Amino acid sequence: MGIRGELFTTQVSAENRTYFFNVKENTKGDVFLQVVESKVSEGLGFDRHAVVVFEDEMRSFLQGLDKCIEFIEKNRKEKAKAKAKKVSDAKKAAEKSD
């Protein structure tokens, strides 16, 4: 176990943020997931925000996360369809005016 109770850690880098997924164990033996977002602040440091989800709450947390991902994917597909229709309608209107 790491010095801060870390059992496992991985990170995901995005454009201007890094996400750290840390599985830890506290002094009572409780296992939990800590998700930390880190991004460069306007000053000289980093802004860091963390969410902690304990082991016994993980299933509920993941169910909520899955519902959000499903919503986002569905919404993205609907927006793409609407955008494609708008482009198609604009092309048809341009062809009619020619």
Side-chain angles (χ1 to χ4, degrees), residues 81-94:
K81 284 180 185 178
K83 185 176 180 180
K85 184 178 181 335
K86 188 175 180 180
V87 168
S88 175
D89 290 348
K91 284 183 181 179
K92 287 177 185 176

Side-chain angles (χ1 to χ4, degrees), residues 57-96:
E57 301 165 343
M58 191 65 58
R59 288 281 169 221
S60 298
F61 176 81
L62 290 175
Q63 287 172 351
L65 182 60
D66 282 341
K67 286 180 182 179
C68 290
I69 291 169
E70 287 173 15
F71 172 81
I72 290 168
E73 288 174 348
K74 181 181 176 186
N75 191 44
R76 182 182 322 150
K77 288 177 185 176
E78 289 174 0
K79 282 184 177 181
K81 284 180 185 178
K83 185 176 180 180
K85 184 178 181 335
K86 188 175 180 180
V87 168
S88 175
D89 290 348
K91 284 183 181 179
K92 287 177 185 176
E95 288 172 359
K96 285 182 181 180

Side-chain angles (χ1 to χ4, degrees), residues 35-46:
V35 180
V36 178
E37 172 209 28
S38 179
K39 63 181 180 176
V40 177
S41 69
E42 292 182 20
L44 298 173
F46 290 89

Side-chain angles (χ1 to χ4, degrees), residues 5-17:
E6 292 173 347
L7 302 174
F8 174 82
T9 188
T10 188
Q11 71 183 49
V12 175
S13 296
E15 284 185 35
N16 60 350
R17 299 163 202 256

